[in-house]
Amino acid sequence: QVQVVESGGGSVQPGGSLRLSCAASGRIFSIDDMGWYRQAPGKQRELVARIGTGESPYYVDSVKGRFTISKNNAKNTVYLQMNGLKPEDTAVYYCNVDGHGSSLSMSYFHEWGQGTQVTVSS
């Protein structure tokens, strides 16, 4: 009933930039929070950035000052602007959206995007 469409990954040189996008669609009543996660080979999936309603966003220490998370509430879309990319940022990036559906019960949903590869190398 709720779908997540993710895009924007690619390959860049160190110091380059990418902008990831993630849009939620379907029978949505409200979005509670949206976030970006990443998983590098041999490592656990980690939270990179998260943005909720009415509070400042969260960033993992390793990306502070380089990445910016933002959202467009009208479009149920979250973005991750990634500047000053480093080789250690190389990973598959996943979008997660939490909210409630447009139904009598307003059931909770927790949906993931398909993942997009970000590669930073010379």
Side-chain angles (χ1 to χ4, degrees), residues 47-97:
L47 175 63
V48 178
R50 181 187 66 233
I51 187 167
T53 302
E55 63 182 29
S56 59
Y58 163 86
Y59 300 95
V60 67
D61 287 344
S62 60
V63 309
K64 288 181 179 177
R66 300 188 296 119
F67 291 8
T68 302
I69 188 169
S70 62
K71 62 179 179 178
N72 184 321
N73 291 327
K75 297 181 178 179
N76 289 327
T77 300
V78 63
Y79 309 94
L80 186 67
Q81 180 65 48
M82 309 165 68
N83 298 326
L85 284 162
K86 304 176 180 179
E88 51 263 44
D89 295 318
T90 296
V92 178
Y93 284 69
Y94 299 90
C95 173
N96 174 254
V97 182

Side-chain angles (χ1 to χ4, degrees), residues 12-28:
V12 297
Q13 295 182 336
S17 298
L18 286 172
R19 191 182 193 223
L20 307 183
S21 299
C22 176
S25 62
R27 299 280 292 176
I28 299 170

